[in-house]
Amino acid sequence: MKLFRHGLRGQERPGILDAQGQMRDLTGHVADIGGAVLGDAGLADLARIDAEGLPPVPEGTRLGACVGGTGKMICIGLNFADHAAESGAAVPPEPIIFMKATSAICGPNDPILLPRGSEKTDWEVELAVIIGRHAKYVPESEALDYVAGYAVANDVSERSFQSERAGQWTKGKSCDSFGPLGPFLVTRDEVADPQALGMWLDVNGNRMQDGSTATMVYGVAHLVSYLSQFMSLHPGDVISTGTPPGVGMGRTPPQFLKAGDNVTLGIEGLGTQRQEVQADPE
């Protein structure tokens, strides 16, 4: 299934894509795409609904982040060897973990807002993993059973905040609008192998990133298992698994986003995003 959320920010409603690719409204069946709905039983209940009989979602309706009620968004740094190389860093001996504030999460086509004082706002197409049920001390052999599905993420990053000021990466990753997520939560049964997905990102129509989840250093199963040794993972939590090479800071000369730019990105089978870059009006 391909699930989504639609409507005004803060008022998103649940939706499902029918067999013909028409967006349908799930209001009345579930309150949101989140919580217990993401477990195996909840997803099985949704699969039994006659999607073609549901009300259509009007064309042009805003899409929100594809999952609601996210308690934490965990990101993995330098998880592609070639991206580590372009960053001038060694491949880490264990996954690098940092958090992106949940207030950064937004719809897949919402604008990227350049924060006040931004000098080096960058792009990163990433595979997002949405957790479906409580996971703690999970063995790697069972880890994918805890995944509800997958989505496209753009781990937008302000590099000067991230790397040139004291402290942790989180402040360069958590500005409002820095977590576009969706358009769809694609359930795990539709993704035969999360380590075999092409991924790409364009800026103003120019291809910047062109990679595959096949080259991830630490795969999805390892990451879910690894993280569950240190913290409980809950339904709706998101793991953003790292980016292939081609980010702005790795180019010669470096290239960063400016107001008026357009970013388009996608992952095979998971859909596409499009964001216009704007100055934060606040």
Side-chain angles (χ1 to χ4, degrees):
M1 290 180 292
K2 290 183 172 65
L3 305 173
F4 63 93
R5 299 168 70 245
H6 61 99
L8 298 175
R9 184 186 297 270
Q11 302 176 37
E12 289 91 348
R13 302 165 68 175
I16 187 171
L17 209 64
D18 71 19
Q20 309 307 315
Q22 170 70 52
M23 290 185 170
R24 302 283 181 171
D25 182 29
L26 275 170
T27 303
H29 291 273
V30 292
D32 202 355
I33 305 299
V37 171
L38 301 175
D40 289 347
L43 294 176
D45 287 344
L46 290 184
R48 286 191 285 268
I49 295 172
D50 175 19
E52 282 76 9
L54 297 173
V57 174
E59 187 175 349
T61 298
R62 173 188 174 269
L63 296 180
C66 60
V67 61
T70 296
K72 52 187 173 289
M73 186 169 184
I74 310 161
C75 299
I76 309 299
L78 303 176
N79 198 28
F80 287 69
D82 34 14
H83 171 57
E86 73 173 352
S87 303
V91 174
E94 294 188 35
I96 292 176
I97 301 170
F98 61 93
M99 297 290 193
K100 184 184 286 279
T102 56
S103 54
I105 297 173
C106 61
N109 304 316
D110 289 345
I112 293 172
L113 302 177
L114 297 174
R116 188 178 299 179
S118 170
E119 300 174 352
K120 298 178 180 180
T121 294
D122 206 345
W123 56 82
E124 296 189 26
V125 59
E126 304 202 1
L127 173 68
V129 178
I130 293 93
I131 297 298
R133 59 189 174 103
H134 178 256
K136 186 174 183 179
Y137 303 132
V138 173
E140 187 168 339
S141 61
E142 300 173 11
L144 295 185
D145 295 340
Y146 291 79
V147 173
Y150 303 92
V152 182
N154 188 354
D155 178 21
V156 185
S157 309
E158 214 302 332
R159 302 299 189 187
S160 60
F161 294 1
Q162 175 188 354
S163 303
E164 298 172 14
R165 300 179 64 171
Q168 301 297 315
W169 289 3
T170 299
K171 64 180 176 291
K173 300 283 190 169
S174 295
C175 303
D176 292 351
S177 80
F178 274 24
L181 188 64
F184 307 116
L185 186 164
V186 180
T187 52
R188 72 172 188 268
D189 59 295
E190 291 200 9
V191 179
D193 183 357
Q195 305 309 145
L197 303 175
M199 52 201 310
W200 56 272
L201 182 144
D202 294 347
V203 178
N204 299 328
N206 299 311
R207 184 60 45 95
M208 299 297 181
Q209 294 185 274
D210 190 0
S212 170
T213 59
T215 62
M216 286 167 58
V217 177
Y218 300 105
V220 172
H222 181 85
L223 292 173
V224 172
S225 174
Y226 181 85
L227 292 170
S228 77
Q229 310 306 308
F230 303 103
M231 66 190 82
S232 287
L233 304 175
H234 297 283
D237 284 352
V238 176
I239 305 169
S240 199
T241 59
T243 197
V247 299
M249 71 173 182
R251 303 186 72 81
T252 305
Q255 178 179 340
F256 298 108
L257 295 172
K258 61 186 184 301
D261 284 345
N262 288 286
V263 181
T264 310
L265 60 150
I267 297 178
E268 181 183 354
L270 305 185
T272 61
Q273 302 183 356
R274 183 184 182 279
Q275 298 112 26
E276 181 182 351
V277 181
Q278 302 176 3
D280 191 332
E282 297 186 9

